[in-house]
Amino acid sequence: MSQNIIVPDIGDFESVEIIEVLVKIGDQINKDDPVVTLESDKSSVEVPSPFSGKVSELKVKIGDKVSKGSLLAKLENGRSNNKTESVPEHEVKQDVSGAELVKPPNNKLKKIIKTSSSQAVNKDDLDPIETQEWLESLNAVIENDGPSRASFLLNKVISEAYTAGLVLPDTRTTPYINTIPPELEVKSPGDQNIEKKLRAYVRWNAAAMVVKANKISSELGGHIGTFASAATLYDVGMNHFWRAKNKSFGGDLIYFQGHSAPGMYARAFLEGRIDEKQLNRFRQEVASGGLSSYPHPWLMPKFWQFPTVSMGLGPIMAIYQARFLKYLINRGLLKDEGRKIWVFLGDGEMDEPESLGAIGLAAREKLDNLIFVVNCNLQRLDGPVRGNGKIIQELEGSFRGAGWNVLKVIWGSYWDPLLKADKTGLLMKRMNEVVDGEYQAMKAKGGAYVREKFFGKYPELKELVSSMTDNDIWRLNRGGHDPHKVYAAYHSAMQNQGSPTVVIAKTVKGYGMGKSGESINTTHQQKKLDEQDLLYYRDRFNVPLTDEQVKNIEYYKPSENSEEIKYLKERRKQLGGFIPERSSLSKPIKAPPKDIFESFMKSTGDKEMSTTMALVRMLTNLLRDKNVAPRLVPIIPDEARTFGMEGFFRKIGIYAHEGQKYEPEDSEQLSSYKEEKSGQVLEEGITEAGAMSSWIAAATAYTNHDIEMIPVYIFYSMFGFQRVGDFAWAAGDAQARGFLIGATAGRTTLAGEGLQHQDGHSHILASMIPNCVSYDPTFSYEMAVIFREGLRRMHEKNENVFYYITAMNENYSHPEKPEGADEGILKGMYLFKEYKNKGKIKIQLLGSGTILREAIAAAKILSEEYGVDSDIWSVTSFNELRKNGMEVERKNLLNPNNKKEKSYIEKCLEKRDGPVIAVSDYVRSFSDQIRPYTDKSFYSLGTDGFGRSDTRKNLRKFFEVDKEHIVAYTLSALAKEQLMGSDNAEKAIKKYNIDKNKAFPTKL
Ligand SMILES: Cc1ncc(C[n+]2csc(CCOP(=O)(O)OP(=O)(O)O)c2C)c(N)n1
Ligand SMILES: [Mg+2]
């Protein structure tokens, strides 16, 4: 039996051209194999076969136009494998109270209710007896039927209350106590004595390292207070939770808070991974062997994994890292080993919009592989984080609201008996009412002050602590400094399923620093400790150093045979190795054979297309290469249709961890919005920061997951480096490998969108990142040569660079690749065309991107009308040319006795006559970059100024980069160079109606 393959619903398109026929008569094909590729002026898309079978007839050829229903081919023995995919019903039971109800674990519920029962002192309570009866009923249910029945009843009551129109109190936050009650805490199996000693040594060495560096020079800086407040939070993780990467496990990923770096070096010193010489070289990295100020993989590529010190980048990058790990697992590229991503953050850092900006996504994607630890030492750099409020409560509200599992670790164990003994409920009331500014002051001022200010407010509380000395009161510790509380929280976080967890820990900034820096506003910058401060610090933590050793600021490391070092090493052995450590065991991806790109090297004839479209076609071709296809990660922030990439939706699916719970509106169409668990496209929605974070996760998968991936993030070029420049910088630091595609690029090429959209400077921003290789190609063969080389360099040869390529949306025909152009395309310029007419007068015309075409048109006019011959150079990268120019110039200057080496630009231009006219769709400084590297007169035209909406023609006239302006300015430059009279220029200016009085575009 034969079956017809027809063109399915292709949306609004009619009469679309067939650009590829991918099957031949006699081919045996499977269902979903591509049969032909269709291309409209906006996008190209493959038509898959709905059946398996043998092609018996082909009804179309390249160049034919087809519409919905057109017959493409016939299959023999065609068998439809089409299963009607059942769409799981998405059942949403409406329970209006569900989202609001506090659902604490087990008997925690009882605890809260019991405590509130003792709060009957409330003046607002009109009938305390009635209140008591309600609470007793609830307690009875908890006691007799258990907490889940009690929760059920409360839910019902709350639902009923909403239905009756009651305004219920806001329940975003829980009381200001630990989330895990003491009776539910899982106890640490560790040896607390040894761990305490180790913590003391790490603390000491971290502080000593900073103080020593500042003895060398106060220029070097450093921080003591951050790690001092976080030592326990790290220590518990290192001793009990964080599993290293090794042969049998992928490793947990830990994002360390930037300013706590000294603590990680101090621990690595005890582990024997860093020696004393290196500690002495903290922040002195120019000679090799120094330690970097903060986590920088670029500077310490075998140690640090994640650049975090630019605040706010860590949290969002980690969220997308956790999401990308699930993506790799769901796509079958990685085993699910239960790996976790831990992220350490400062409470001040949470002010950054990026820190909280993606927490909704983390909950939505059910990232239970993600654990945030926010170190709430209540201070940032200048002073309190929320002096008049409570950062912990605020964060709890935000994270709970977003759907996270929140674990507050506020109070240390010394508070437990007090909370238990408090029968009045006043202690919790007092804890709730004190603001952070006061909490901070209390830790700066001592036990007597706390007795007076905290407990003194209510006589009952004063009484509660009457038998305690001021010292006892001072010892009432905060949760984040209590290893038992921290252990219990981490343990609970590890068990949590279905949502991300945030541990919000309360600590003291500069813990242990005493008057020199404990809980005082200047703690953050404290990097010098005098002798007295050091002696105090030693005593506070019982570090076994003599006074003399302290005065010499010696490090402390017990012998290898000591129980402490043995314990430390054993713990790490049990957890699989050391952390942090950076390595890569990924295998290179073999670059596709040349022919995948071959079709782009030929002329497109009359057929017009944009470079964006050419790129999308290249990606489509790459998806047919068995090595490359599974590793491609197309990343799009809600712009697939803008770039003609909607064909990818159906072809490779949009990643959705829950699959697709609905039948898409366009399910019948070829480019239907298909979401699936194993989907390949990361459709990020409107979040450039998020998309960039995804790209970084994929671009560093070679080290973090030992699998080489090829991320291709396509965006409006204006919303790239300008919007997420700091992420791009971090990507450079992290040694990302992948493609960033700035689409719809060029100030005048993206016509109608106007000022905010039109990009005339992204290349300048890209040029600032040392390992970013950037190109502004004009023709599809240039794009193909560049993309192919990017694949080879990054993913086959594993060079630590990333590519930024601009792609445009202007349609034009593309010529055949000139013979031998490849090298020049990659180096940054090649001779595209030479006019050798009558030519006494010569110019060197350099153009890039779409404006090269204006230059080509101008060259024709100059030749035909003015007798000026041009050498037309296609400049694919002013940035790469400049890099080469700088390097060669430096070498020559350093070797004045040697024969001068020539830069690539010099080599290209030295034997050619005439001044240089350089044009691009970017600001003049883009092309000006190469001025110093040629001794020719140099004139640049560019698009300096704010963009605005209009047609391309008008915009190019406005910015003076159209062919007419190129002609007029060239003639004028030639006059200036005394190569021709000025009358030609004057005539041209008149002929082209160029307004000499128009203001410079930057002023308009
Ligand atoms: C984007 C960015 N802005 C500013 C800084 C400068 N800075 C460094 S630390 C710091 C305060 C940090 O406070 P917090 O997050 O509470 O950390 P803590 O040291 O208190 O743990 C600031 C403003 C930075 N590193 N990154
Ligand atoms: Mg802080």
Side-chain angles (χ1 to χ4, degrees):
M1 181 179 119
S2 83
Q3 297 264 18
N4 292 340
I5 303 179
I6 56 165
V7 175
D9 187 346
I10 45 176
D12 293 338
F13 301 106
E14 279 285 313
S15 255
V16 188
E17 189 176 335
I18 292 181
I19 59 159
E20 283 176 302
V21 177
L22 302 160
V23 295
K24 311 187 290 299
I25 291 177
D27 282 358
Q28 185 69 39
I29 60 172
N30 291 321
K31 180 183 176 260
D32 286 338
D33 281 354
V35 178
V36 296
T37 308
L38 306 179
E39 189 166 275
S40 71
D41 57 346
K42 266 197 76 237
S43 69
S44 65
V45 58
E46 290 172 352
V47 178
S49 169
F51 322 109
S52 301
K54 190 168 168 190
V55 181
S56 57
E57 287 178 52
L58 253 181
K59 296 291 188 190
V60 286
K61 59 183 183 319
I62 292 178
D64 285 357
K65 304 258 168 95
V66 291
S67 301
K68 179 181 172 186
S70 305
L71 180 60
L72 298 172
K74 287 187 178 227
L75 290 191
E76 252 172 34
N77 304 323
R79 252 187 314 124
S80 168
N81 295 343
N82 257 348
K83 284 187 228 125
T84 344
E85 279 170 34
S86 67
V87 181
E89 259 184 48
H90 186 34
E91 233 184 84
V92 185
K93 263 206 181 137
Q94 274 288 328
D95 184 340
V96 279
S97 68
E100 293 284 78
L101 184 68
V102 186
K103 221 171 149 195
N106 307 340
N107 45 349
K108 180 73 193 307
L109 185 62
K110 186 168 155 188
K111 182 169 184 279
I112 292 168
I113 290 163
K114 283 240 165 102
T115 321
S116 43
S117 76
S118 52
Q119 282 182 337
V121 274
N122 193 340
K123 280 198 278 354
D124 301 332
D125 192 346
L126 299 179
D127 187 348
I129 296 173
E130 188 184 33
T131 311
Q132 196 59 28
E133 282 168 9
W134 273 72
L135 294 174
E136 274 165 15
S137 310
L138 181 62
N139 282 331
V141 176
I142 297 170
E143 213 107 306
N144 300 327
D145 304 324
S148 66
R149 172 70 187 152
S151 287
F152 175 82
L153 286 177
L154 273 178
N155 259 318
K156 282 276 169 211
V157 171
I158 290 169
S159 265
E160 197 67 26
Y162 276 118
T163 317
L166 264 61
V167 179
L168 295 186
D170 182 1
T171 55
R172 279 177 315 139
T173 55
T174 60
Y176 198 59
I177 53 171
N178 296 348
T179 308
I180 305 173
E183 49 293 3
L184 291 185
E185 281 167 12
V186 173
K187 297 279 172 261
S188 166
D191 181 325
Q192 290 310 316
N193 267 334
I194 299 183
E195 289 189 17
K196 194 172 167 187
K197 283 188 200 167
L198 284 168
R199 204 155 46 242
Y201 309 156
V202 173
R203 279 177 189 286
W204 172 265
N205 291 333
M209 185 175 76
V210 176
V211 176
K212 271 192 155 183
N214 283 278
K215 286 250 188 246
I216 296 170
S217 165
S218 59
E219 280 174 35
L220 296 177
H223 302 87
I224 301 171
T226 299
F227 179 69
S229 74
T232 309
L233 299 174
Y234 286 114
D235 201 49
V236 173
M238 288 285 195
N239 284 335
H240 300 287
F241 292 96
W242 303 336
R243 299 154 297 175
K245 171 158 106 176
N246 55 36
K247 281 197 195 105
S248 50
F249 184 71
D252 293 326
L253 301 177
I254 322 291
Y255 287 69
F256 295 100
Q257 194 190 348
H259 299 79
S260 63
M264 308 316 131
Y265 297 138
R267 183 170 244 273
F269 170 62
L270 294 185
E271 291 166 347
R273 296 197 292 148
I274 282 181
D275 62 24
E276 189 166 337
K277 261 206 233 139
Q278 285 172 289
L279 287 191
N280 286 337
R281 297 268 310 285
F282 175 53
R283 291 187 171 226
Q284 298 146 74
E285 305 177 80
V286 165
S288 69
L291 300 180
S292 56
S293 47
Y294 304 119
H296 293 302
W298 184 262
L299 300 170
M300 293 179 65
K302 296 200 165 136
F303 195 82
W304 294 117
Q305 295 174 287
F306 305 107
T308 50
V309 81
S310 177
M311 308 207 133
L313 302 193
I316 187 167
M317 287 196 295
I319 289 175
Y320 281 86
Q321 175 71 263
R323 199 290 212 94
F324 191 69
L325 176 54
K326 295 239 176 195
Y327 166 95
L328 289 174
I329 293 167
N330 284 330
R331 285 196 52 214
L333 293 167
L334 272 194
K335 265 198 311 205
D336 187 357
E337 302 175 298
R339 294 164 66 199
K340 301 275 182 196
I341 286 133
W342 292 74
V343 193
F344 279 77
L345 307 164
D347 46 358
E349 181 171 14
M350 299 312 290
D351 289 344
E352 292 283 5
E354 292 90 344
S355 299
L356 289 169
I359 62 173
L361 170 117
R364 202 160 61 238
E365 302 260 338
K366 299 191 170 45
L367 300 181
D368 48 14
N369 55 349
L370 179 67
I371 300 169
F372 270 23
V373 180
V374 188
N375 175 20
C376 292
N377 53 26
L378 313 185
Q379 289 179 241
R380 47 188 175 210
L381 195 153
D382 281 341
V385 176
R386 295 286 184 275
N388 292 321
K390 284 224 236 331
I391 184 63
I392 290 180
Q393 298 299 88
E394 183 182 318
L395 291 175
E396 179 185 35
S398 300
F399 280 98
R400 268 168 60 90
W404 285 51
N405 171 40
V406 177
L407 298 171
K408 292 196 290 190
V409 184
I410 304 179
W411 308 110
S413 306
Y414 291 121
W415 287 91
D416 289 343
L418 284 182
L419 276 162
K420 202 167 177 191
D422 171 39
K423 301 295 174 213
T424 61
L426 280 170
L427 180 54
M428 199 159 74
K429 179 171 156 60
R430 185 72 186 128
M431 287 169 163
N432 276 328
E433 69 193 12
V434 172
V435 293
D436 282 355
E438 283 184 89
Y439 276 121
Q440 184 199 332
M442 283 172 196
K443 278 295 174 195
K445 297 199 171 171
Y449 185 88
V450 177
R451 184 191 300 281
E452 181 58 31
K453 288 278 177 184
F454 184 82
F455 295 105
K457 170 109 188 254
Y458 301 111
E460 294 89 334
L461 291 189
K462 214 166 182 176
E463 178 56 30
L464 193 68
V465 292
S466 59
S467 62
M468 293 168 75
T469 64
D470 286 350
N471 245 347
D472 292 338
I473 290 181
W474 180 241
R475 268 214 309 274
L476 289 169
N477 55 348
R478 290 193 178 163
H481 295 299
D482 185 329
H484 305 284
K485 302 286 181 195
V486 174
Y487 183 92
Y490 286 4
H491 186 275
S492 170
M494 289 289 287
Q495 313 306 315
N496 185 55
Q497 287 185 353
S499 61
T501 293
V502 59
V503 175
I504 311 181
K506 184 167 171 166
T507 61
V508 179
K509 189 143 179 170
Y511 186 70
M513 290 170 73
K515 66 172 178 20
S516 66
E518 186 154 352
S519 208
I520 58 178
N521 279 341
T522 53
T523 303
H524 191 82
Q525 255 115 334
Q526 186 57 271
K527 54 194 178 188
K528 292 182 185 160
L529 299 179
D530 64 23
E531 256 173 45
Q532 287 314 308
D533 296 336
L534 286 167
L535 288 167
Y536 173 86
Y537 204 60
R538 175 202 61 183
D539 294 344
R540 175 85 177 257
F541 296 112
N542 291 322
V543 183
L545 287 174
T546 64
D547 286 5
E548 200 50 34
Q549 288 174 308
V550 169
K551 282 172 199 163
N552 292 335
I553 324 176
E554 290 182 22
Y555 300 115
Y556 183 74
K557 184 176 175 186
S559 79
E560 287 296 303
N561 288 328
S562 64
E563 58 171 9
E564 295 99 304
I565 297 294
K566 278 197 202 145
Y567 181 88
L568 172 109
K569 290 198 168 166
E570 178 57 24
R571 289 311 314 144
R572 287 314 317 165
K573 196 170 152 205
Q574 291 300 324
L575 289 160
F578 294 120
I579 279 179
E581 196 167 82
R582 185 177 182 277
S583 62
S584 173
L585 307 170
S586 66
K587 292 200 185 73
I589 302 171
K590 205 169 153 27
K594 262 190 182 178
D595 52 310
I596 278 212
F597 292 94
E598 216 45 59
S599 59
F600 299 96
M601 309 303 175
K602 304 206 177 81
S603 164
T604 59
D606 290 342
K607 194 175 156 43
E608 297 196 336
M609 68 170 162
S610 66
T611 43
T612 304
M613 176 101 98
L615 179 88
V616 173
R617 271 175 63 182
M618 274 171 227
L619 294 177
T620 309
N621 284 8
L622 281 172
L623 284 168
R624 292 179 202 143
D625 180 87
K626 69 174 186 341
N627 294 323
V628 172
R631 306 300 180 86
L632 265 185
V633 185
I635 303 172
I636 322 160
D638 202 33
E639 296 283 1
R641 293 179 203 280
T642 313
F643 309 135
M645 290 179 71
E646 62 271 38
F648 283 36
F649 292 166
R650 180 100 170 228
K651 184 171 170 55
I652 49 176
I654 299 165
Y655 174 69
H657 72 104
E658 293 179 307
Q660 191 156 39
K661 295 175 170 179
Y662 61 95
E663 184 168 349
E665 162 278 316
D666 55 3
S667 59
E668 297 302 316
Q669 289 185 13
L670 189 54
S671 300
S672 163
Y673 201 85
K674 183 173 141 206
E675 302 194 59
E676 53 185 350
K677 196 167 176 179
S678 60
Q680 194 163 353
V681 175
L682 285 173
E683 164 60 271
E684 298 295 8
I686 311 163
T687 164
E688 282 75 20
M692 193 66 189
S693 299
S694 269
W695 181 80
I696 292 171
T700 52
Y702 71 93
T703 159
N704 296 320
H705 309 295
D706 290 327
I707 179 167
E708 185 83 30
M709 300 298 288
I710 310 173
V712 184
Y713 168 29
I714 305 191
F715 49 88
Y716 261 116
S717 71
M718 194 62 153
F719 304 138
F721 286 85
Q722 168 156 295
R723 180 75 181 239
V724 291
D726 205 9
F727 286 93
W729 189 249
D733 189 349
Q735 299 167 52
R737 299 175 190 156
F739 294 93
L740 293 173
I741 308 294
T744 60
R747 182 93 83 212
T748 66
T749 305
L750 177 60
E753 295 285 334
L755 185 150
Q756 195 80 60
H757 285 68
Q758 289 166 343
D759 166 31
H761 52 271
S762 64
H763 275 288
I764 300 287
L765 303 176
S767 75
M768 297 302 144
I769 300 176
N771 48 353
C772 174
V773 184
S774 47
Y775 289 98
D776 183 31
T778 310
F779 296 122
S780 54
Y781 63 81
E782 295 175 353
M783 178 71 94
V785 169
I786 292 164
F787 202 87
R788 188 177 65 199
E789 178 68 356
L791 285 174
R792 191 192 67 83
R793 281 179 70 182
M794 296 187 287
H795 304 296
E796 191 179 45
K797 296 291 166 211
N798 295 156
E799 233 183 283
N800 287 324
V801 292
F802 64 93
Y803 271 53
Y804 175 56
I805 310 174
T806 38
M808 276 71 72
N809 67 348
E810 183 174 356
N811 290 328
Y812 45 83
S813 56
H814 296 251
E816 184 167 334
K817 185 182 76 172
E819 195 65 26
D822 292 55
E823 187 193 351
I825 291 173
L826 297 174
K827 286 190 163 165
M829 68 191 278
Y830 66 94
L831 190 64
F832 175 75
K833 183 170 179 171
E834 222 171 333
Y835 274 92
K836 289 183 186 157
N837 287 349
K838 326 168 181 140
K840 279 211 183 100
I841 308 171
K842 210 63 211 276
I843 59 157
Q844 302 304 311
L845 204 43
L846 274 57
S848 88
T850 47
I851 301 301
L852 170 64
R853 298 181 64 250
E854 296 288 339
I856 295 169
K860 188 163 187 285
I861 299 172
L862 284 165
S863 168
E864 288 173 1
E865 297 181 26
Y866 300 94
V868 174
D869 278 356
S870 313
D871 291 336
I872 305 171
W873 298 86
S874 173
V875 179
T876 48
S877 180
F878 283 109
N879 289 347
E880 287 301 294
L881 291 178
R882 176 172 170 77
K883 279 186 201 166
N884 169 263
M886 287 191 294
E887 204 174 336
V888 171
E889 182 182 75
R890 173 179 173 272
K891 197 167 172 194
N892 288 337
L893 288 172
L894 286 172
N895 296 285
N897 282 337
N898 294 4
K899 187 166 173 267
K900 276 198 169 44
E901 234 179 64
K902 290 193 174 112
S903 68
Y904 179 67
I905 307 159
E906 276 175 295
K907 283 184 201 159
C908 289
L909 296 179
E910 65 181 345
K911 298 215 174 91
R912 303 201 168 247
D913 297 325
V916 173
I917 313 283
V919 290
S920 81
D921 213 2
Y922 291 83
V923 292
R924 285 170 178 77
S925 47
F926 183 40
S927 44
D928 277 347
Q929 292 185 95
I930 64 165
R931 248 182 220 255
Y933 309 112
T934 165
D935 45 20
K936 294 193 179 314
S937 297
F938 196 104
Y939 301 86
S940 49
L941 304 180
T943 56
D944 297 74
F946 282 120
R948 59 212 58 212
S949 47
D950 211 311
T951 60
R952 273 186 197 121
K953 189 169 172 42
N954 286 342
L955 286 168
R956 286 176 185 168
K957 185 175 166 72
F958 174 82
F959 281 107
E960 306 177 0
V961 292
D962 58 357
K963 60 180 187 293
E964 291 84 4
H965 278 87
I966 298 173
V967 168
Y969 277 117
T970 302
L971 295 172
S972 202
L974 288 170
K976 189 177 165 239
E977 301 293 325
Q978 300 190 339
L979 292 168
M980 70 172 12
S982 56
D983 50 332
N984 279 324
E986 285 288 359
K987 270 191 224 151
I989 290 169
K990 207 162 179 185
K991 179 176 173 189
Y992 298 132
N993 286 325
I994 294 173
D995 178 3
K996 291 183 179 183
N997 295 320
K998 189 187 107 184
F1000 190 60
T1002 55
K1003 297 184 173 154
L1004 292 169

